[in-house]
Amino acid sequence: MGCSRHLVSAVACSLASNDHFPLLPLRTSIGGADTTASVMAWWPLAMLVYPETQARAQAELDAVVGRARLPTFADYPHLPYIRAMVKEVLRWRPTGPLGVPHRSNEDDWYEGMFIPKGTICIPNMWHMNRDPEVYGENAAHFDPARHLDASGKIPSGASGAKDDGHVSYGFGRRVCVGRHVSDNSIFINIAVMLWASKIERKRDVSGQFLPLDVEGFEDEGLVV
């Protein structure tokens, strides 16, 4: 186990070196893969707690893909609810609750608080993703439909924190460079898993769903 950690550390340092700039695509892929793995660990919980979202996504898959083949990226434009599910799981359970530190390049004021030039600011993405003024009173709940317009489509707009439907990838020049890899990977993972299976809670002897602790996780530190 110790050898594995040293090997991973050595590879990470190597990839961070300017001498290995040609490996930038690999570094991007690694960043996207890490986000995918983290999100896909949370997504099944959402399917257990909010089965109605799973049913709607599977109905969309049945209508667009059918049962004769697996979903592919060619189906991407025709699966808006599953694309919205990607946005929502990233908002509902971001990979990390805190963003990359930024430094203010001039004096500023925010809600009556003075922020001097040179201040290191660490964004609380967990809180920002759950702001009821932005996401409504049900901001703490998993609801992919919040990312759809009245016609059931994802509104068109430029890529960015606002139009992503969450701030989990960060902001400005420090935004996650692997976000597109991550979005696509999460999309195809969710689409294939929902096409192939149904995720539901166990039932007791009387047929009732067993209780589930949605908030039963460690929420202290840099990861959740």
Side-chain angles (χ1 to χ4, degrees), residues 49-170:
V49 181
Y50 303 94
E52 69 281 0
T53 65
Q54 179 178 191
R56 179 170 174 178
Q58 289 176 326
E60 182 178 74
L61 281 167
D62 289 342
V64 174
V65 179
R67 304 304 304 165
R69 63 175 179 85
L70 287 168
T72 69
F73 285 110
D75 301 307
Y76 184 89
H78 311 295
L79 297 172
Y81 190 77
I82 292 180
R83 288 159 56 198
M85 188 173 278
V86 173
K87 294 177 179 288
E88 183 66 354
V89 72
L90 284 162
R91 183 200 69 85
W92 185 63
R93 288 291 191 270
T95 304
L98 303 177
V100 176
H102 289 63
R103 185 193 303 272
S104 61
N105 54 19
E106 60 183 29
D107 291 346
D108 199 3
W109 288 86
Y110 178 75
E111 295 189 354
M113 295 177 288
F114 176 61
I115 303 176
K117 178 181 178 179
T119 299
I120 300 298
C121 301
I122 302 176
N124 185 341
M125 298 193 301
W126 181 274
H127 176 75
M128 295 173 71
N129 277 335
R130 290 165 176 259
D131 186 350
E133 294 186 5
V134 177
Y135 299 104
E137 293 300 320
N138 70 337
H141 297 282
F142 183 84
D143 181 15
R146 75 174 79 250
H147 303 286
L148 303 175
D149 59 22
S151 64
K153 305 295 183 182
I154 293 181
S156 60
S159 178
K162 179 179 178 181
D163 295 291
D164 281 340
H166 58 82
V167 297
S168 301
Y169 287 140

Side-chain angles (χ1 to χ4, degrees), residues 32-48 82 85-90 92-95 142 169 181-195 197 199 224:
D34 177 68
T35 303
T36 301
S38 300
V39 170
M40 292 307 297
W42 283 112
W43 172 77
L45 176 63
M47 298 299 96
L48 293 174
I82 292 180
M85 188 173 278
V86 173
K87 294 177 179 288
E88 183 66 354
V89 72
L90 284 162
W92 185 63
R93 288 291 191 270
T95 304
F142 183 84
Y169 287 140
V181 175
S182 174
D183 281 344
N184 288 336
S185 299
I186 296 170
F187 165 81
I188 202 66
N189 271 276
I190 289 177
V192 171
M193 288 187 68
L194 287 180
W195 181 91
S197 61
I199 304 172
V224 177

Side-chain angles (χ1 to χ4, degrees), residues 45 48-49 201-215:
L45 176 63
L48 293 174
V49 181
R201 275 184 278 172
K202 289 185 176 181
R203 300 175 184 268
D204 58 23
V205 293
S206 64
Q208 299 298 314
F209 285 120
L210 294 175
L212 185 64
D213 183 7
V214 182
E215 303 299 329

